[in-house]
Amino acid sequence: MKVVEKYKLPSGVELKNRLFFAPISTMEDALDGKITENELAFFRQRTGKVGAIVVASAYVSQNGRGYGNNISISHDRFIPSLSKIAQTIQKNETKAILQIYHGGANAKRRDNTDLLYCVSHQSTYLEGSNDYHELTETEIQKNISDYSKAILRAVKAGFDGVELHVANSYLPNQFLLPNWNLRNDQWGGSLRKRVKFTEEIIKASLRVIQENKETPFALGIRFSLEDTMLMEDNEREKSFKESLAILKILDQLGLDYIHLTSSDCLAKKELNNNSFDLLEIIKQVVIKTPVISSGNLLQSESVEQALQHTELASACRPFIFVPNWAEKIVNQEEVILPEKLLTGETRQTYNIPRNLWRGILETPDWYLYR
């Protein structure tokens, strides 16, 4: 079985198996951005058997926070709090990776007078362009610097790596997508210019890691395969083709991994009126960089099928109700999710933070693969 094999990332970080616990927002952190005991308990119950856990998701600056109750890495004062979760996860050689992000136009306003950053005022995705401030050259450089400082804090906090959130319409993703980015300077317009912001963050991050690491430290990214806000099939296909071109560029930058977002990574993909395996397409484009397949993986059979195409595989939903999901996959045991009514006792049994629990109760079928 490929899943049980060790794997060494390009940086030298060695994984004891091919499984990742993909980032899931517990929405349990204190409003000041510090880790709570409830979140530590959640990860304490789920670590030890999986190769790595990616913790979601720490905002790199105060004006980049996307929602309440999530982790901050915006100042050195958060390093002790971050160290607690890194140490909690690093049990039995499980690697702790921190996902970092900036919300951009999707950030949370701190008060009614607060203006949000946007990549371009002309974007049709903005709700009332008067409420947004288009990033200046100086501010773009400041954002790149904020990412660099966050990387250094993650190193000091004892994490084994960082995952840059370049998906889900956060700031780097907004620079990449043509419907978000209609700038006509060096940061927008052509595809190559739209990639520049993400590329500069990666280069700056790698410099910080190289200058400050004492042990191997990984740098990966989470990447969206298409603009999910597009409704028409032909528009989605065009967006997917652009993503493939972007992946070719990212593949040359020395990343440790590219972590895909997908509703079903084993699905077929229609391209130029032909049907292909999605992961097969990706691995024809991404040659140098390890890929983490993700999306609708539940049983060991589906994980092994994904690993026939990619070096690594991840899931997040199964871990919620099956904390030892990785162990079951390694042992080829059937994964059984709850079928009965979810109760408060269920929440306590699995140490599920209250805010995450509220989200589960709103959409239980999604969380339970129904």
Side-chain angles (χ1 to χ4, degrees):
M1 288 175 58
K2 193 173 180 181
V3 68
V4 302
E5 296 175 359
K6 292 182 178 181
Y7 189 80
K8 183 179 286 189
L9 296 172
S11 62
V13 172
E14 188 165 346
L15 305 167
K16 64 181 179 180
N17 59 45
R18 304 297 184 101
L19 295 174
F20 272 56
F21 181 176
I24 182 169
S25 237
T26 64
M27 296 171 286
E28 186 63 22
D29 306 290
L31 288 176
D32 66 358
K34 293 180 180 177
I35 307 294
T36 64
E37 180 54 43
N38 287 340
E39 184 158 30
L40 293 178
F42 176 80
F43 284 109
R44 190 177 295 120
Q45 190 177 8
R46 288 157 178 82
T47 193
K49 297 296 182 181
V50 64
I53 293 178
V54 184
V55 180
S57 46
Y59 51 91
V60 300
S61 62
Q62 287 295 322
N63 57 29
R65 186 176 71 166
Y67 50 93
N69 299 97
N70 70 300
I71 308 169
S72 178
I73 195 168
S74 62
H75 191 277
D76 287 353
R77 67 176 177 272
F78 295 106
I79 292 174
S81 174
L82 293 164
S83 294
K84 291 181 182 179
I85 197 164
Q87 292 167 9
T88 296
I89 289 169
Q90 290 161 334
K91 173 185 175 184
N92 195 24
E93 299 182 341
T94 292
K95 302 302 180 184
I97 297 175
L98 181 65
Q99 185 184 71
I100 65 174
Y101 83 104
H102 188 295
N106 288 324
K108 182 181 177 65
R109 285 183 173 83
R110 288 170 288 183
D111 56 55
N112 292 333
T113 64
D114 206 15
L115 287 176
L116 298 178
Y117 288 131
C118 69
V119 176
S120 171
H121 258 141
Q122 300 176 54
S123 173
T124 57
Y125 288 164
L126 297 178
E127 297 179 4
S129 60
N130 291 332
D131 296 331
Y132 297 88
H133 169 70
E134 186 172 299
L135 286 164
T136 65
E137 173 71 26
T138 300
E139 289 163 343
I140 289 173
Q141 295 296 340
K142 170 67 165 54
N143 273 283
I144 295 170
S145 176
D146 287 340
Y147 274 90
S148 298
K149 292 175 181 177
I151 294 287
L152 179 56
R153 292 177 190 125
V155 172
K156 290 181 176 179
F159 282 92
D160 299 294
V162 159
E163 179 175 286
L164 304 173
H165 204 336
V166 188
N168 298 2
S169 293
Y170 287 134
L171 185 60
N173 193 228
Q174 291 166 23
F175 269 94
L176 290 176
L177 298 177
N179 284 348
W180 277 107
N181 186 352
L182 291 94
R183 301 175 71 99
N184 57 10
D185 58 5
Q186 64 171 325
W187 304 99
S190 68
L191 181 143
R192 196 64 188 82
K193 289 182 178 180
R194 284 186 272 120
V195 177
K196 183 177 175 64
F197 180 72
T198 297
E199 186 174 3
E200 291 302 314
I201 290 174
I202 292 170
K203 289 179 178 178
S205 298
L206 289 173
R207 284 194 297 270
V208 170
I209 292 167
Q210 186 61 37
E211 293 168 1
N212 295 278
K213 67 175 182 177
E214 295 182 358
T215 58
F217 190 93
L219 182 70
I221 65 167
R222 197 78 197 267
F223 185 78
S224 292
L225 290 174
E226 58 187 30
D227 183 350
T228 56
M229 296 179 72
L230 298 173
M231 296 292 107
E232 300 296 329
D233 289 343
N234 63 326
E235 292 180 334
R236 295 285 283 264
E237 181 174 328
K238 181 180 178 181
S239 178
F240 179 73
K241 289 178 179 178
E242 272 215 340
S243 293
L244 296 180
I246 293 169
L247 283 172
K248 284 185 179 180
I249 297 171
L250 298 177
D251 191 34
Q252 306 300 316
L253 299 182
L255 290 164
D256 277 280
Y257 66 77
I258 295 173
H259 193 175
L260 304 178
T261 62
S262 171
S263 58
D264 186 354
C265 66
L266 296 177
K268 295 287 186 179
K269 183 69 178 179
E270 296 297 322
L271 201 60
N272 299 328
N273 297 317
N274 291 301
S275 182
F276 303 93
D277 289 333
L278 173 62
L279 295 180
E280 186 176 328
I281 297 172
I282 300 302
K283 286 306 293 180
Q284 288 180 3
V285 172
V286 182
I287 309 300
K288 297 180 178 181
T289 312
V291 173
I292 305 177
S293 51
S294 183
N296 209 32
L297 299 178
L298 178 61
Q299 304 294 348
S300 61
E301 294 84 1
S302 60
V303 172
E304 279 296 319
Q305 188 178 347
L307 289 173
Q308 297 307 306
H309 298 282
T310 63
E311 292 79 5
L312 303 157
S314 79
C316 65
R317 288 177 291 164
F319 279 98
I320 297 174
F321 294 106
V322 187
N324 64 336
W325 179 79
E327 184 177 11
K328 287 186 173 293
I329 297 301
V330 166
N331 294 333
Q332 295 182 283
E333 297 176 11
E334 183 182 6
V335 176
I336 301 175
L337 297 174
E339 294 183 357
K340 62 181 181 181
L341 183 67
L342 300 179
T343 64
E345 183 179 356
T346 309
R347 186 188 74 80
Q348 293 175 354
T349 298
Y350 297 114
N351 282 306
I352 301 173
R354 289 185 182 276
N355 287 332
L356 174 58
W357 182 248
R358 292 189 186 99
I360 292 170
L361 294 181
E362 290 175 3
T363 55
D365 289 350
W366 185 78
Y367 283 96
L368 294 170
Y369 283 73
R370 291 172 180 166

